[in-house]
Amino acid sequence: MELHDVWFVLIAVLWIGYFFLEGFDFGVGVLTKLLARDRAEKRVLINTIGPVWDGNEVWLLTAGGATFAAFPEWYATLFSGFYLPLLIILVCLIIRGVAFEYRAKRPEENWQRNWEQAIFWTSLIPAFLWGVAFGNIVRGVKIDADMEYVGGFWELLNPYALLGGLVTLTLFTFHGAVFAALKTLGDIRSRARALAFRLGLVTAVLALAFLVWTQLDTGNGWSLAVMLVAVVALVGAIAAIKAGREGWSFGLSGVTIAAAVAMLFLALFPNVMPSSLNPEWSLTVTNASSSPYTLKIMTWCAAVATPLVLLYQSWTYWVFRKRIGMQHIADAH
């Protein structure tokens, strides 16, 4: 296996890690409006992700940085062609981080309500737009012979990509509901389980349609095998949450996300961005990659840094592993 193939796999792993971790993160943000009945319950939900949300976003930064260094042509075409949706995601992530930090800085009800609204919308919008973006990457966009995107913004909002956006939104919200059930106590835990089951059924219908569409359009034998893993894991996650086994359900919903993202990358390979104008103009792991020397240096750096990051983040989750209930919420100012 060539180094550019290795880095294609590593970037896929980084996106899997990001969607697995930030997926429940986004889902909990959406649930602050769908599940929480009052401000105290919103505080419970926010506190479940309070110690970890910023660490989860490190995976996005690493995936973007790895793409820039390993596949500069891919990075340039992707970030210039998808400039507006990626800018919207970036703005949402900035506002979301500010909302987490500033929500409790003042006691006024309007102040806190406005920041809670911001958490909801800046969780929902990126969860949807990531699916739209990856749907277009897999489907193919208008790339010319100079490796430049020549389409428009509205062309990105095609039926396949919009379905992909709905899948990521519902799947992340389901993942977040399972995480909320896993991390909370009392009545909110019971309602999170019930909501997760209903969300799981909706997610299963949308995900099956999207994955089958992908397989029929660009799939291969490997992507089909991984698609079956995603479907079985999602069914298992729904059954587990129905039985009250939140830990099993969370693990299986994570497997669903990992398998679904892996399927997209397997359907994409050896392309990194197919051209819908001419297959010969597609960006591939070969024509979009950096020099072998650059990839070699990156591989050594990744071999040293990645285990340290994984150990630190695992330790963070271990420290904050206990459940949170209404009794843990201090009185408002």
Side-chain angles (χ1 to χ4, degrees):
M1 181 182 287
E2 299 290 338
L3 277 180
H4 50 66
D5 297 328
V6 171
W7 274 97
F8 180 85
V9 173
L10 291 177
I11 289 172
V13 170
L14 290 171
W15 281 110
I16 288 172
Y18 174 66
F19 286 141
F20 177 89
L21 296 173
E22 191 85 306
F24 72 75
D25 201 323
F26 285 142
V28 170
V30 174
L31 292 175
T32 57
K33 185 173 287 292
L34 299 184
L35 180 63
R37 291 177 174 173
D38 52 35
R39 174 135 310 124
E41 289 190 350
K42 289 182 180 180
R43 291 170 66 189
V44 169
L45 290 175
I46 293 171
N47 285 353
T48 63
I49 59 174
V52 298
W53 67 267
D54 49 354
N56 295 343
E57 291 185 354
V58 170
W59 289 78
L60 173 62
L61 299 176
T62 308
T67 304
F68 171 77
F71 299 98
E73 295 290 350
W74 184 12
Y75 181 91
T77 304
L78 175 64
F79 279 77
S80 59
F82 293 15
Y83 179 81
L84 184 55
L86 292 178
L87 177 63
I88 294 172
I89 291 174
L90 177 61
V91 171
C92 284
L93 294 180
I94 293 171
I95 296 175
R96 188 167 179 266
V98 173
F100 282 131
E101 299 297 333
Y102 276 71
R103 180 188 57 85
K105 295 299 183 182
R106 290 172 56 178
E108 291 86 349
E109 184 175 346
N110 286 339
W111 172 271
Q112 296 189 3
R113 184 189 300 114
N114 290 337
W115 285 121
E116 288 163 0
Q117 289 280 359
I119 291 173
F120 169 76
W121 286 109
T122 56
S123 299
L124 184 148
I125 293 172
F128 176 75
L129 288 180
W130 279 127
V132 173
F134 270 83
N136 280 290
I137 291 173
V138 174
R139 172 179 174 267
V141 292
K142 291 183 177 180
I143 299 174
D144 64 13
D146 296 323
M147 298 184 179
E148 295 181 0
Y149 176 70
V150 293
F153 169 74
W154 297 109
E155 295 177 64
L156 300 177
L157 303 180
N158 54 79
Y160 176 78
L162 292 175
L163 177 59
L166 291 175
V167 170
T168 52
L169 175 59
T170 54
L171 181 56
F172 291 169
T173 307
F174 168 69
H175 195 43
V178 174
F179 180 78
L182 181 65
K183 286 287 292 179
T184 56
L185 295 166
D187 180 58
I188 192 171
R189 177 187 176 190
S190 301
R191 286 187 283 113
R193 282 204 305 256
L195 180 59
F197 178 72
R198 296 194 297 271
L199 286 168
L201 296 178
V202 176
T203 302
V205 174
L206 294 173
L208 183 61
F210 179 74
L211 294 178
V212 170
W213 191 346
T214 303
Q215 179 63 30
L216 293 175
D217 193 29
T218 59
N220 51 53
W222 286 105
S223 64
L224 176 61
V226 177
M227 184 193 82
L228 295 177
V229 172
V231 172
V232 172
L234 181 55
V235 173
I238 296 170
I241 198 65
K242 181 67 174 177
R245 303 295 298 271
E246 297 102 337
W248 279 99
S249 182
F250 182 72
L252 288 169
S253 65
V255 171
T256 303
I257 292 174
V261 177
M263 179 198 174
L264 295 181
F265 276 90
L266 286 169
L268 188 62
F269 186 82
N271 295 322
V272 294
M273 281 192 76
S275 172
S276 59
L277 298 177
N278 186 337
E280 295 183 358
W281 296 344
S282 298
L283 275 68
T284 69
V285 293
T286 303
N287 65 18
S289 68
S290 293
S291 67
Y293 182 75
T294 300
L295 296 177
K296 185 177 180 180
I297 296 297
M298 290 176 60
T299 303
W300 281 108
C301 292
V304 173
T306 302
L308 298 177
V309 173
L310 292 175
L311 285 172
Y312 172 76
Q313 194 159 25
S314 299
W315 176 78
T316 301
Y317 276 92
W318 175 255
V319 170
F320 295 101
R321 66 189 181 278
K322 293 185 178 180
R323 294 180 182 268
I324 300 173
M326 296 288 288
Q327 65 270 29
H328 300 120
I329 301 300
D331 294 334
H333 295 293

